[in-house]
């Protein structure tokens, strides 16, 4: 196993994502690696394709505030410094790759639900992260 020095843990802030944080932090402790947490918020306009003539800025800001608060709690619970907690907007796989590059991460840890059938064909965040990463990716099976 590589000697990882900087680990980026990507979480969706669900209860299951704590399994991902546990695994990533355990690996970091073994290797004395620096830990960063990232949560990516998909803009509401992505979900609705801009077809609804509404101003989502207030709702988006509230979602962002709640996500930052939840990420801060996870960071506190796992002793991850506030400067190493990142809440960003965009497509998860794109933003995770970009953050890993910016930080010089040598490992990305993501959760995987082990989807099959139609869900697998449509893809997942873990799959997107795996196929575009310039560093190692650990997919932690969650929800089992």
């Amino acid at each position: 196993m590589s000697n990882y020095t900087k680990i980026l843990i990507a979480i969706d802030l669900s209860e299951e994502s704590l399994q991902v944080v546990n695994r990533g932090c355990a690996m970091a402790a073994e290797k004395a690696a620096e830990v960063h947490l990232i949560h990516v918020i998909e803009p509401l306009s992505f979900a609705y394709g801009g077809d609804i003539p509404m101003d989502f800025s207030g709702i988006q800001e509230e979602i962002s505030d709640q996500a930052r608060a939840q990420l801060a709690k996870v960071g506190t619970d796992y002793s991850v410094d506030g400067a190493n907690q990142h809440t960003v907007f965009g497509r998860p796989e794109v933003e995770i790759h970009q953050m890993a590059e910016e930080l010089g991460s040598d490992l990305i840890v993501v959760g995987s639900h082990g989807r099959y059938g139609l869900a697998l064909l449509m893809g997942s965040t873990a799959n997107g992260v795996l196929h575009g990463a310039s560093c190692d990716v650990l997919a932690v099976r969650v929800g089992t």
Side-chain angles (χ1 to χ4, degrees):
M1 187 172 282
S2 295
N3 192 19
Y4 300 115
T5 59
K6 197 170 287 190
I7 299 174
L8 177 62
I9 304 172
I11 59 175
D12 63 5
L13 300 174
S14 67
E15 280 295 317
E16 292 175 336
S17 69
L18 295 181
Q19 295 172 39
V20 178
V21 180
N22 281 330
R23 182 68 57 87
C25 286
M27 289 188 72
E30 284 178 21
K31 307 292 184 185
E34 181 179 331
V35 173
H36 287 260
L37 299 173
I38 184 170
H39 172 69
V40 182
I41 301 168
E42 288 192 76
L44 293 172
S45 61
F46 284 5
Y48 296 106
D51 291 341
I52 300 175
M54 287 182 61
D55 179 13
F56 288 116
S57 60
I59 297 168
Q60 195 75 63
E61 189 171 323
E62 187 174 324
I63 290 169
S64 177
D65 290 345
Q66 289 177 3
R68 281 191 186 91
Q70 287 180 301
L71 190 63
K73 181 178 181 341
V74 172
T76 299
D77 291 348
Y78 287 89
S79 301
V80 177
D81 188 85
N84 292 8
Q85 300 170 22
H86 312 278
T87 305
V88 297
F89 287 92
R91 295 228 180 262
E93 52 279 357
V94 172
E95 298 302 326
I96 292 166
H97 290 152
Q98 185 174 333
M99 184 62 65
E101 288 286 329
E102 286 176 22
L103 296 171
S105 299
D106 42 22
L107 177 67
I108 300 169
V109 182
V110 295
S112 174
H113 290 88
R115 292 187 169 92
Y116 53 89
L118 186 58
L120 178 62
L121 291 174
M122 293 173 66
S124 69
T125 298
N127 190 45
V129 171
L130 175 66
H131 290 308
S134 59
C135 63
D136 289 351
V137 176
L138 172 64
V140 177
R141 186 173 296 269
V142 296
T144 58

